[in-house]
Amino acid sequence: SAVDCGRKANSTQVWKDVNQACIAEKEFRLAQICGLHLIVHAEELESLIRLYESNGYIDELCSLIENGLGLERAHMGMFTELAILYCKYRPEQIMDHLKLYWSRINIPKVIRACESAHLWPELVFLYVHYDEFDNAAQTIIEHSVDAWEHASFKDIIVKVSNVELYYKALRFYLKEQPLLLNDLLNVMMARIDHTRVVSMFQKSDNIPLIKKYLVAAQSTNNKSVNEAYNELLIEEEDFVGLRNSIDNHDNFDGIGLAQRLEKHDLLEFRRIAAHLYNQAKRWRQSLALSKKDKLYKDAMTTARVSGSTEIAEDLLRYFVESGNPACFSACLFTCYDLVRSDVVMELAWRHGLTNEAMPYFINLVREYQNKVDTLTSEVSDLKAKVERSGGSNGAAPAANGPNQLMGPAGLGGRLLLGPGAPAPNAGGNLFGNAGQSAPGSMSGSQFGGF
């Protein structure tokens, strides 16, 4: 009857008095009817909650507010206070409530409640939906036992504004989840300082853990990344990978690496040292290393790439002095454009290597013959062209005078005299009297009677 009177009165104070009486008599069903008319008023909600809490009627209070969430006049305070009650008394229900109603609660107020109740996953959830990604990441790192989840942490860490959290996250993963480091580094690749990351893992001697990251980060051609990766490949004795690395990424201390590799126990690494000297244009150091390991093919390649006649001929002499006629012949083929024919002829003649040098000379003669044939063809074409142009001018040359030189000037032309014109200095030769040699002429006595 009191509830009916409350309906007729429709007064907040009446509902409040009736509600208190029902609670005192433990008539919770009737108290809930009265309470539903009270909780829709934000100013009455807090006192109603204190009343229920002070009497220990938590379940009835939660039931009251839960039933009121569907009311048309439901407000943010109801969703917020129910979330706080869940934090205090029903922590197993808080996450479901937050997922359903996070947009209708006062997030900062619930954040304080979750923090007081040590509900770390729920706290992270609220930070994320409140765009507090730095706090979310910090909470996960500090309370990883309860709050850490790899997939969600990756989503959060890329959105933080404090760059220092990246490196704090790396230290956290190094300590607790080392096998997932490469996956974490992959999502942070665009925003981290590669040099700092490499330095961090070098100090802790954990470079092998981030090998996949180093491979991916080499696309930036960062010096620290390249050197760390090259160092790792040396430790793993992966000479194929090291060769590919230095060929495709050139930002590293090549000379320092070469000086280290030239003393390596494995032959392939010493070959890489010679290759590095080639890249630095230190041809003689590369040749010395190849000669020492008897890698003669590499030595010939180095001589050819150097483009130096002196280096190529020195290598020829080395093969002659070391008694290696096969390599002498191969070097002539490899360095064909660099060596001089007279040097080759001298070495072959003096050391009995004519047979080994013969392919070189055959090719040389053939080359010269082709050049002569080409020049002959060009001269013939030019001569024919001049004769055609002269024939089209008719008798023009004769009209120029009897003592004029006739015939085309230039390559292949002849010195012609006009008809009836006496030869210059007639009675002798072209250079003076018959008994006097022309200046610069080649007399037989000067050349041994030839």
Side-chain angles (χ1 to χ4, degrees):
S1 61
V3 173
D4 291 336
C5 291
R7 286 195 183 98
K8 292 176 182 179
N10 196 22
S11 169
T12 301
Q13 185 60 44
V14 173
W15 284 121
K16 190 173 182 180
D17 293 339
V18 174
N19 175 261
Q20 291 176 355
C22 292
I23 291 174
E25 296 298 326
K26 297 184 179 181
E27 292 288 344
F28 296 111
R29 184 181 64 81
L30 297 175
Q32 185 176 109
I33 294 173
C34 299
L36 289 175
H37 290 83
L38 293 172
I39 61 175
V40 293
H41 301 286
E43 65 275 9
E44 300 294 337
L45 180 60
E46 188 173 347
S47 60
L48 183 65
I49 290 173
R50 281 200 305 268
L51 177 61
Y52 273 85
E53 278 190 307
S54 62
N55 288 283
Y57 303 137
I58 305 303
D59 291 341
E60 289 77 8
L61 176 60
C62 291
S63 177
L64 169 61
I65 301 178
E66 286 170 356
N67 289 330
L69 296 182
L71 296 176
E72 185 178 347
R73 296 172 63 190
H75 53 82
M76 179 180 287
M78 295 168 58
F79 294 94
T80 301
E81 293 300 334
L82 182 59
I84 294 173
L85 287 172
Y86 283 157
C87 288
K88 292 179 179 179
Y89 307 111
R90 295 182 180 179
E92 69 280 357
Q93 292 182 246
I94 180 62
M95 182 60 83
D96 292 336
H97 179 72
L98 293 177
K99 288 179 179 178
L100 287 173
Y101 303 115
W102 66 267
S103 62
R104 302 189 67 178
I105 64 174
N106 185 337
I107 292 181
K109 194 172 182 179
V110 181
I111 282 176
R112 290 192 293 272
C114 288
E115 193 171 4
S116 299
H118 294 182
L119 300 175
W120 309 121
E122 291 78 6
L123 182 60
V124 170
F125 178 87
L126 290 170
Y127 276 138
V128 169
H129 285 83
Y130 200 53
D131 292 338
E132 291 284 347
F133 299 107
D134 291 35
N135 288 332
Q138 185 72 29
T139 302
I140 292 174
I141 292 172
E142 292 176 355
H143 306 284
S144 59
V145 175
D146 298 315
W148 176 81
E149 185 182 0
H150 182 57
S152 63
F153 187 76
K154 287 195 302 179
D155 294 337
I156 292 169
I157 197 65
V158 296
K159 299 175 182 177
V160 300
S161 57
N162 184 1
V163 177
E164 289 301 317
L165 281 173
Y166 295 145
Y167 308 104
K168 191 170 184 178
L170 289 176
R171 286 189 287 269
F172 160 65
Y173 265 68
L174 178 61
K175 182 179 178 181
E176 299 192 13
Q177 304 291 338
L179 297 181
L180 297 174
L181 269 169
N182 288 293
D183 196 20
L184 180 65
L185 283 164
N186 187 50
V187 300
M188 299 192 301
M189 183 82 67
R191 302 188 66 183
I192 55 178
D193 181 354
H194 300 299
T195 301
R196 182 173 176 179
V197 172
V198 170
S199 176
M200 178 191 303
F201 284 92
Q202 281 178 333
K203 288 179 181 178
S204 61
D205 195 23
N206 286 299
I207 287 292
L209 284 174
I210 59 170
K211 180 178 180 180
K212 292 182 180 178
Y213 156 75
L214 294 175
V215 173
Q218 271 201 304
S219 59
T220 64
N221 203 23
N222 180 277
K223 183 176 181 181
S224 297
V225 171
N226 291 340
E227 291 182 347
Y229 183 59
N230 292 342
E231 182 71 25
L232 183 59
L233 292 174
I234 294 172
E235 291 180 7
E236 295 177 350
E237 296 185 350
D238 183 2
F239 56 85
V240 175
L242 181 60
R243 182 66 177 258
N244 291 334
S245 175
I246 64 178
D247 284 344
N248 296 323
H249 308 95
D250 58 356
N251 188 11
F252 61 94
D253 182 9
I255 298 301
L257 182 60
Q259 290 173 344
R260 178 182 174 187
L261 291 178
E262 67 179 336
K263 300 175 184 177
H264 202 281
D265 294 336
L266 295 182
L267 175 63
E268 288 297 331
F269 284 99
R270 297 198 295 274
R271 288 187 68 190
I272 293 175
H275 178 62
L276 287 168
Y277 282 131
N278 282 348
Q279 289 184 335
K281 301 188 184 304
R282 297 193 176 189
W283 313 114
R284 295 197 180 277
Q285 286 176 273
S286 176
L287 281 170
L289 199 55
S290 297
K291 290 176 184 177
K292 181 180 178 182
D293 290 325
K294 297 183 179 180
L295 298 171
Y296 298 133
K297 181 180 179 181
D298 290 357
M300 294 177 212
T301 302
T302 298
R304 183 190 65 206
V305 173
S306 72
S308 169
T309 296
E310 181 183 359
I311 290 176
E313 292 178 352
D314 286 345
L315 185 59
L316 274 180
R317 294 187 182 94
Y318 168 79
F319 289 137
V320 170
E321 293 168 0
S322 60
N324 197 332
C327 287
F328 173 80
S329 182
C331 188
L332 288 176
F333 173 79
T334 305
C335 304
Y336 178 82
D337 295 329
L338 299 177
V339 296
R340 293 171 292 186
S341 57
D342 59 320
V343 174
V344 177
M345 186 177 293
E346 179 186 358
L347 290 173
W349 174 64
R350 293 180 63 185
H351 298 279
L353 297 172
T354 305
N355 289 339
E356 285 74 13
M358 189 54 65
Y360 168 82
F361 287 119
I362 292 172
N363 194 68
L364 186 69
V365 171
R366 178 62 178 173
E367 183 180 352
Y368 284 166
Q369 184 63 49
N370 289 340
K371 290 181 179 178
V372 170
D373 292 344
T374 301
L375 287 173
T376 302
S377 176
E378 291 177 354
V379 169
S380 299
D381 293 343
L382 182 59
K383 183 177 179 181
K385 182 178 179 180
V386 171
E387 288 177 349
R388 286 196 300 271
S389 63
S392 64
N393 293 332
N400 291 333
N403 294 326
Q404 298 298 317
L405 293 176
M406 301 179 63
L411 185 63
R414 295 181 179 180
L415 182 64
L416 300 179
L417 300 176
N425 299 320
N429 53 40
L430 290 173
F431 301 100
N433 296 328
Q436 182 178 359
S437 298
S441 63
M442 298 182 293
S443 64
S445 62
Q446 290 175 311
F447 293 93
F450 286 106

